[in-house]
């Protein structure tokens, strides 16, 4: 019997918000994922260091996913003193979970377009499938036209029409999945707080209370 895929969801989560949570929930349901592991980045290699500490971002993710049995917190990248690359994290998970367990890296459409800038990006497919979350009305052909040529070749070769087939193999496919459009960004939330506005209803109340109690993003 095939094992259900395990979702892997990384990011700075600076702060985590309903856009992140809804993406994880809808992909978990739509792709029949056993669970989604949230893996906050410790020293993100692709951007400047967040203004809040890694421990505080970890706390916020813990608060945000509490009560959802399908969501799991994975601290491995936070605990690393050096930048953690996704391909290395996936390799670790593969070693821990075995060769047969399907893994599924969850990405937004914009993040996927930048995949060729990632460390050893082609090796990602050796360790996991990639699920790309898209907004309703998304034009797959127009999106494909904006891909770098190397990425387009991989995408066309690996595109899996049926998400249900992800459990049949441990890695190597790409699926696209339409999710609810929530135009929420961590940058906008940070800017709102900095300018004295209230970002309530963009992120869980528990996370907002933590931000206020610890005077973050001010």
């Amino acid at each position: 019997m095939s094992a259900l895929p395990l979702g892997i969801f990384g990011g700075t989560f600076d702060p985590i918000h309903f856009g992140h949570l809804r993406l994880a929930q809808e992909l978990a349901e739509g792709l029949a994922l056993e669970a989604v592991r949230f893996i906050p980045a410790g020293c993100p290699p692709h951007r400047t260091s967040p203004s809040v500490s890694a421990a505080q971002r970890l706390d916020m993710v813990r608060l945000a996913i509490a009560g959802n049995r399908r969501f799991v917190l994975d601290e491995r990248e936070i605990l690393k003193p050096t930048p953690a690359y996704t391909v290395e994290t996936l390799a670790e998970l593969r070693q821990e979970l075995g060769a047969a367990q399907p893994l599924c890296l969850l990405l937004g459409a914009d993040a996927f377009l930048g995949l060729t800038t990632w460390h050893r990006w082609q090796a990602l497919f050796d360790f996991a499938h990639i699920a790309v979350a898209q907004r309703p009305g998304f034009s797959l052909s127009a999106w494909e036209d904006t891909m770098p040529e190397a990425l387009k070749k991989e995408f066309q070769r690996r595109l899996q029409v049926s998400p249900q087939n992800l459990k049949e193999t441990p890695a190597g496919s790409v699926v696209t999945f339409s999710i609810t459009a929530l135009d929420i960004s961590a940058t906008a939330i940070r800017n709102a707080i900095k300018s004295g506005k209230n970002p309530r209803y963009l992120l869980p109340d528990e996370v907002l209370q933590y931000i206020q109690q610890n005077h973050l993003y001010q």
Side-chain angles (χ1 to χ4, degrees):
M1 182 177 174
S2 303
L4 292 176
L6 177 65
I8 309 299
F9 191 21
T12 49
F13 301 121
D14 185 31
I16 190 167
H17 54 68
F18 285 134
H20 297 129
L21 297 167
R22 193 62 207 166
L23 181 154
Q25 181 68 28
E26 292 192 23
L27 287 181
E29 292 173 351
L31 304 180
L33 303 179
E34 179 184 3
V36 175
R37 285 201 188 193
F38 285 73
I39 309 182
C43 304
H46 284 290
R47 51 164 284 179
T48 55
S49 295
S51 60
V52 304
S53 72
Q56 288 169 326
R57 289 185 293 108
L58 188 70
D59 286 342
M60 288 189 281
V61 174
R62 184 180 287 110
L63 288 168
I65 68 174
N68 190 324
R69 289 182 295 178
R70 219 167 188 169
F71 291 173
V72 179
L73 182 60
D74 189 319
E75 303 181 13
R76 72 182 65 229
E77 290 193 4
I78 289 285
L79 299 176
K80 283 187 177 179
T82 55
Y85 294 100
T86 300
V87 69
E88 295 170 353
T89 297
L90 291 176
E92 287 178 12
L93 287 166
R94 174 61 64 209
Q95 192 169 18
E96 292 167 16
L97 300 171
Q101 171 64 50
L103 299 178
C104 192
L105 180 65
L106 310 185
L107 295 179
D110 290 342
F112 185 81
L113 287 180
L115 205 65
T116 57
T117 66
W118 292 28
H119 180 61
R120 293 175 53 211
W121 71 275
Q122 287 168 309
L124 294 169
F125 298 107
D126 296 334
F127 302 112
H129 303 296
I130 295 181
V132 184
Q134 300 173 336
R135 299 180 179 211
F138 188 90
S139 170
L140 188 65
S141 59
W143 179 64
E144 192 175 326
D145 287 341
T146 65
M147 293 180 189
E149 197 59 36
L151 181 61
K152 184 186 291 189
K153 288 180 180 178
E154 291 290 351
F155 175 75
Q156 292 172 340
R157 185 162 69 93
R158 298 178 182 277
L159 184 62
Q160 177 64 253
V161 176
S162 174
Q164 281 63 44
N165 290 340
L166 293 182
K167 65 183 180 181
E168 304 301 331
T169 54
S173 295
V174 176
V175 296
T176 63
F177 195 85
S178 179
I179 65 168
T180 303
L182 295 179
D183 192 13
I184 304 172
S185 79
T187 301
I189 291 172
R190 294 195 303 269
N191 290 339
I193 295 169
K194 192 173 183 179
S195 62
K197 296 176 183 175
N198 191 335
R200 192 178 183 190
Y201 309 123
L202 297 177
L203 69 176
D205 285 344
E206 296 83 358
V207 176
L208 180 56
Q209 289 166 10
Y210 182 92
I211 289 171
Q212 293 169 337
Q213 288 166 1
N214 291 276
H215 309 290
L216 305 183
Y217 307 119
Q218 296 177 8

